[in-house]
Amino acid sequence: RRLAAISRGADTIRQLCYQLNDISAEIPVELASCDIRSLLRECIDLIRSEARTKSIRIVAAGFPKCAVRVKVDRRWIGYSVQCLLRNAIESIESKSFDRPPKKVDRQIVVSLEGALDTAGPVSVNVRDTGVGIAERNRDRIFQPLFSTKKRRETGGLGLFSVQRIMLQHGGSVSFESNAGHGATFKLT
């Protein structure tokens, strides 16, 4: 069952990457009712084993017991959350510690806030304990082809794509960061 979920996730990401290949193309969004809580758990499950191999914990915090219905394209929002989780892992990996790190030093927290029991806006927060975002990079992180990584495996399209996806949904992506103390990205 887990292998089937990973395979589905890989197929979805492959399809989305083909569609993102053309930076100027509009992202096709198919809105449908979705339990965002369930989608977040799927995203966390897909990334969790990668995080574990790097001694990083992913925590789902404050999720309500009941479904939280939102109208989104679950493929694109799932892709966006996975992108933020992978960026958080890389940020934590980049951080050096002057003492042996504790569990809370190597952690990603995914949380929900907003109108969880009504039809109002809902935000997904992804907070990490990584290196944070340097002041000089804050105005550029959503630009296409911009990357702070030494290995440019993603080509600098991750956050640019997330921003485009959120705009196509009529939403936004924002962040708060203190260099050296992690970052929090918010999808609304």
Side-chain angles (χ1 to χ4, degrees):
R1 189 174 77 156
R2 184 153 169 73
L3 187 56
I6 291 170
S7 178
R8 281 192 312 275
D11 288 342
T12 299
I13 290 170
R14 188 177 308 107
Q15 290 172 346
L16 297 174
C17 286
Y18 286 126
Q19 292 175 356
L20 286 171
N21 201 18
D22 183 357
I23 290 175
S24 63
E26 187 173 305
I27 295 172
V29 173
E30 297 174 23
L31 299 178
S33 181
C34 165
D35 176 9
I36 192 70
R37 180 194 55 152
S38 172
L39 176 59
L40 293 175
R41 287 192 194 286
E42 288 175 29
C43 292
I44 291 168
D45 287 345
L46 282 170
I47 305 297
R48 184 170 272 135
S49 61
E50 177 184 340
R52 275 192 192 131
T53 63
K54 299 169 183 189
S55 301
I56 297 171
R57 273 181 8 145
I58 302 177
V59 177
F63 283 26
K65 290 183 178 16
C66 60
V68 178
R69 308 296 302 175
V70 293
K71 208 162 194 167
V72 297
D73 186 320
R74 85 180 268 117
R75 298 169 308 152
W76 287 117
I77 297 302
Y79 170 87
S80 297
V81 170
Q82 289 176 48
C83 179
L84 294 180
L85 289 171
R86 284 196 173 93
N87 281 357
I89 289 169
E90 291 173 2
S91 178
I92 293 169
E93 278 189 298
S94 300
K95 188 172 184 175
S96 58
F97 295 91
D98 55 1
R99 58 174 168 63
K102 299 176 183 172
K103 281 185 179 180
V104 295
D105 292 329
R106 298 180 63 80
Q107 179 171 274
I108 301 165
V109 178
V110 180
S111 61
L112 282 169
E113 65 180 40
L116 303 181
D117 57 354
T118 65
V122 172
S123 294
V124 174
N125 300 312
V126 177
R127 178 173 46 92
D128 68 63
T129 56
V131 295
I133 301 165
E135 189 70 42
R136 69 181 178 278
N137 294 329
R138 291 182 185 182
D139 291 337
R140 301 171 44 195
I141 64 168
F142 295 112
Q143 293 177 358
L145 307 178
F146 176 76
S147 179
T148 60
K149 300 173 186 124
K150 291 182 174 115
R151 295 176 288 131
R152 296 202 30 174
E153 295 166 353
T154 60
L157 292 175
L159 290 175
F160 170 73
S161 300
V162 169
Q163 184 181 51
R164 289 183 61 221
I165 290 164
M166 293 310 296
L167 289 172
Q168 285 295 115
H169 278 80
S172 64
V173 58
S174 60
F175 71 93
E176 294 178 11
S177 178
N178 292 319
H181 300 286
T184 300
F185 280 82
K186 179 182 277 196
L187 304 177
T188 303

